[in-house]
Amino acid sequence: APVQVVLVPVVLKGAAGLEELTTHLAAIETSLKAVGVRTKVDAGTVHTPGWKYNHWEQKGVPLRIELGPRDLAKQQVRVVRRDTGEKQDVAIPDLPTFIAAKLDEIHEALLAKATRVRDERTKEVNDFEGFCGAVLQAEACMALTPSCGEMACEEEVGTRCDREASAAAEHPAGEEGAGSKGSGVKALCRPLQQPPLAEGQGCFACERPATCTMLWGK
C-alpha cells in the first residue's frame, strides 16, 4: 500500500485540542518513518474523524492510528486493522516495534487468504469438456491444463469457449445478447512451477503432445 498507516486526531469539529494532538501525531509519524513505515497524518478540519476512517479504509490503508485527548493523557493510541476490524490500545513508545510487526502479520494473513481462495478456485482438467465446466460455470474457476503451448491453439480455445457461452445463453454467435459478447476465457500464464506431465500426455484442446501446463481463466 502507498500509505501503510494513517494517523487521525480524534476531536470534535471546532473543539479545542486539535493542534496539540496533531503535534503529537507528527512526532509519532517521525518515529514510524524511522523504521520504514509509510504514513499519512490526516489533520484536516473539513471532515469528521468517522468520515476519515471510512475514506482511508476505502483507500486500502492497512492500519489506522487514532489519538484523542483521553488517549494522550494515557500516553497511548488506538490501532485499528482494516482487514479484521481488530482494535488495540498501544503505548506510544512501543508503536514503532508494534506497527512493524503488525504490518508483517497483516501481509501474511492476506497472502494466506489469497492463496487459499486461488487454490479453491483452480481446477486441474485434462479434456475440453471438463475445461468448459470449470471456466464457463456461473461461479467460474481457473483451469490448469496440459497444453501444447501453441498460440493458434490458445486462440482456438477462446473461439470454442465463445461458441459454448453463446449456446448456453441461447444466443447464436454474432447476435446481440449475453452470449454474443464472448466468454472472456483466455490463457493467463504458464506457471513458473511446472508440474511433471504424464508420459504421452496430450494437449487438452487439440490433443497434440503437451509441452507445458497452462493456467486459464477470465
Side-chain angles (χ1 to χ4, degrees), residues 1-217:
V3 177
Q4 295 171 301
V5 181
V6 63
L7 301 92
V8 180
V10 182
V11 62
L12 294 176
K13 190 174 181 180
L18 176 60
E19 184 175 347
E20 182 182 11
L21 292 175
T22 302
T23 298
H24 282 85
L25 286 177
I28 293 172
E29 181 181 39
T30 299
S31 70
L32 294 179
K33 284 184 174 180
V35 294
V37 178
R38 299 184 295 276
T39 61
K40 168 72 176 179
V41 175
D42 188 347
T45 58
V46 175
H47 301 293
T48 64
W51 187 95
K52 295 176 184 179
Y53 299 165
N54 182 65
H55 173 74
W56 290 107
E57 284 181 4
Q58 291 186 7
K59 290 282 189 180
V61 176
L63 286 173
R64 180 175 75 244
I65 289 177
E66 305 169 6
L67 179 65
R70 293 182 182 178
D71 299 312
L72 186 57
K74 297 177 182 179
Q75 282 297 291
Q76 67 180 31
V77 297
R78 173 154 292 186
V79 179
V80 185
R81 281 180 61 159
R82 177 182 183 270
D83 61 324
T84 65
E86 176 191 22
K87 300 178 180 180
Q88 291 179 265
D89 293 328
V90 182
I92 291 176
D94 297 338
L95 275 173
T97 301
F98 178 87
I99 293 296
K102 188 62 66 174
L103 287 170
D104 287 341
E105 181 183 325
I106 292 171
H107 172 81
E108 293 300 327
L110 292 177
L111 177 60
K113 180 180 179 181
T115 301
R116 174 179 55 79
V117 172
R118 180 202 64 188
D119 292 344
E120 288 175 352
R121 298 185 67 86
T122 301
K123 295 184 178 180
E124 295 186 19
V125 295
N126 292 317
D127 56 64
F128 193 76
E129 182 180 358
F131 177 79
C132 289
V135 299
L136 295 180
Q137 60 183 332
E139 294 184 1
C141 294
M142 294 186 293
L144 201 59
T145 71
S147 172
C148 65
E150 297 293 331
M151 181 61 69
C153 183
E154 290 183 28
E155 293 174 351
E156 178 62 19
V157 168
T159 300
R160 291 172 68 183
C161 285
D162 290 347
R163 289 199 296 264
E164 291 285 341
S166 294
E170 297 183 349
H171 286 286
E175 287 189 8
E176 185 177 354
S180 65
K181 295 180 181 178
S183 63
V185 174
K186 60 184 177 181
L188 300 177
C189 69
R190 300 185 186 187
L192 293 176
Q193 296 180 344
Q194 286 280 311
L197 293 169
E199 185 176 352
Q201 177 69 61
C203 173
F204 83 103
C206 68
E207 299 185 356
R208 287 194 290 264
T211 60
C212 66
T213 297
M214 193 80 74
L215 184 66
W216 303 77

